[in-house]
Amino acid sequence: MPALIFDCDGVLADTERDGHLPAFNETFEEFGLPVRWSDQEYAEKVKVGGGKERMRTLLTPDFVAAAGLPTDQAALDEQVAAWHRRKTEIYTGIIRSGGIPPRPGVRRVATEAHECGWTLAVASTSAEASVRAVLELAMGTELAAHFGVFAGDVVQRKKPAPDIYDFAVHRLGLDPARVVVIEDSRNGMLSALGAGLTCAVTTSAYTQEEDFTGASLVVTSLGDPPPEEIVTGVLSDPLGARPGPWVVLADLAALLTADGDAGSTASGTPEARPPGSAPPGPDPRTQQSGPGPRSH
């Protein structure tokens, strides 16, 4: 069966501006650090994969001296780890407060995928606790239990390196030719493509102007039907998927077909469907039960 892997931040919820940025700045304040990132500054920081890695961009000799930080590398690493632990606590509190809504369509499409027997996972360079908080917010507890979660420091190299997707594909025993990744950033797209996976992009607050050459589909969001009715804006459709007013699972399956996996559709069997119409129902012969594998 095919697989659908979501990035977390910017894909499941638009968390960077209203979640991560205030959590970083509150952490800096608590630790007495002489820095507060502006929205414009953070728009550049999000290009660095991983929270600890973003914090380490601060550690110039002048900053270390001004903040009274240790110069010993091991002690400095311990300090960054302490900052990051506290930042994760603050961030997960923001997420659990419910102030940041899920992005349009993510639960709807994931529900379709689960009902059709697709493998579900999330792959992110954010801390695992942060990713699980966003996953439960976006999907609900019951559906979230069916996701494999691959996050944080399970790999050393962060996006745009392909390591997190290589790791997820290996752990889940997936065929890369039957995996669709949903990302929101160029770094994330490059990570997915580097692992040999098909990538669709839903642009987010900080990524709307990035270059997504190589993505199989670029949209403003997955969209949702009435009563919410958020219409998908198609920004790039090089494979001719031609989604309707909102993206459905069969649109994503069509990306696999267009990439040469002629047997892939939403139900795992060949079936033509007019663009934007409802996906085929689940095939009871291919239904999965129970949660997917998780990283540890």
Side-chain angles (χ1 to χ4, degrees):
M1 292 302 295
L4 182 59
I5 304 180
F6 294 85
D7 174 43
C8 180
D9 296 305
V11 171
L12 298 182
D14 215 342
T15 51
E16 293 289 6
R17 174 171 286 140
D18 297 320
H20 285 290
L21 175 56
F24 277 116
N25 282 339
E26 186 172 336
T27 300
F28 298 152
E29 182 176 5
E30 286 189 9
F31 281 87
L33 299 175
V35 61
R36 302 292 183 272
W37 283 333
S38 68
D39 186 73
Q40 184 176 6
E41 289 170 327
Y42 192 64
E44 292 301 314
K45 295 297 181 183
V46 296
K47 298 175 183 178
V48 178
K52 290 190 293 295
E53 289 75 9
R54 290 175 196 172
M55 288 173 160
R56 287 193 182 105
T57 65
L58 295 171
L59 300 180
T60 64
D62 287 345
F63 183 88
V64 169
L69 298 173
T71 55
D72 174 74
Q73 189 59 52
L76 197 55
D77 287 344
E78 288 180 8
Q79 187 65 71
V80 171
W83 298 344
H84 190 252
R85 284 192 298 272
R86 178 57 183 145
K87 180 261 172 183
T88 299
E89 291 173 353
I90 295 169
Y91 173 78
T92 55
I94 293 171
I95 295 301
R96 287 172 179 151
S97 73
I100 301 177
R103 291 205 65 191
V106 291
R107 186 181 298 194
R108 172 179 55 79
V109 170
T111 298
E112 292 175 8
H114 175 61
E115 290 174 351
C116 291
W118 287 45
T119 299
L120 293 171
V122 59
S124 172
T125 51
S126 291
E128 183 173 343
S130 298
V131 172
R132 290 190 181 276
V134 177
L135 179 62
E136 291 200 3
L137 166 78
M139 300 298 172
T141 303
E142 183 176 348
L143 183 58
H146 294 279
F147 275 73
V149 176
F150 304 93
D153 295 328
V154 293
V155 294
Q156 286 191 334
R157 296 193 307 165
K158 305 297 175 70
K159 300 173 184 180
D163 301 32
I164 189 68
Y165 285 113
D166 283 335
F167 183 80
V169 166
H170 175 73
R171 285 290 300 271
L172 293 171
L174 302 175
D175 176 357
R178 307 194 78 192
V179 177
V180 178
V181 169
I182 301 181
E183 272 284 356
D184 75 304
S185 69
R186 176 172 171 78
N187 278 349
M189 178 197 72
L190 292 175
S191 178
L193 296 180
L197 309 179
T198 296
C199 184
V201 171
T202 58
T203 58
S204 61
Y206 288 123
T207 69
Q208 296 170 2
E209 304 302 320
E210 293 187 359
D211 178 5
F212 293 113
T213 302
S216 296
L217 179 68
V218 183
V219 294
T220 53
S221 75
L222 297 178
D224 265 324
E228 293 83 3
E229 192 157 22
I230 298 173
V231 175
T232 294
V234 178
L235 305 177
S236 177
D237 185 15
L239 302 183
R242 296 181 295 128
W246 44 87
V247 174
V248 297
L249 183 64
D251 296 322
L252 300 177
L255 303 181
L256 297 177
T257 303
D259 275 345
D261 187 359
S264 293
T265 67
S267 62
T269 57
E271 182 173 339
R273 182 189 65 84
S277 63
D283 182 345
R285 297 169 300 174
T286 57
Q287 285 287 293
Q288 289 182 336
S289 61
R294 294 181 180 269
S295 61
H296 298 283

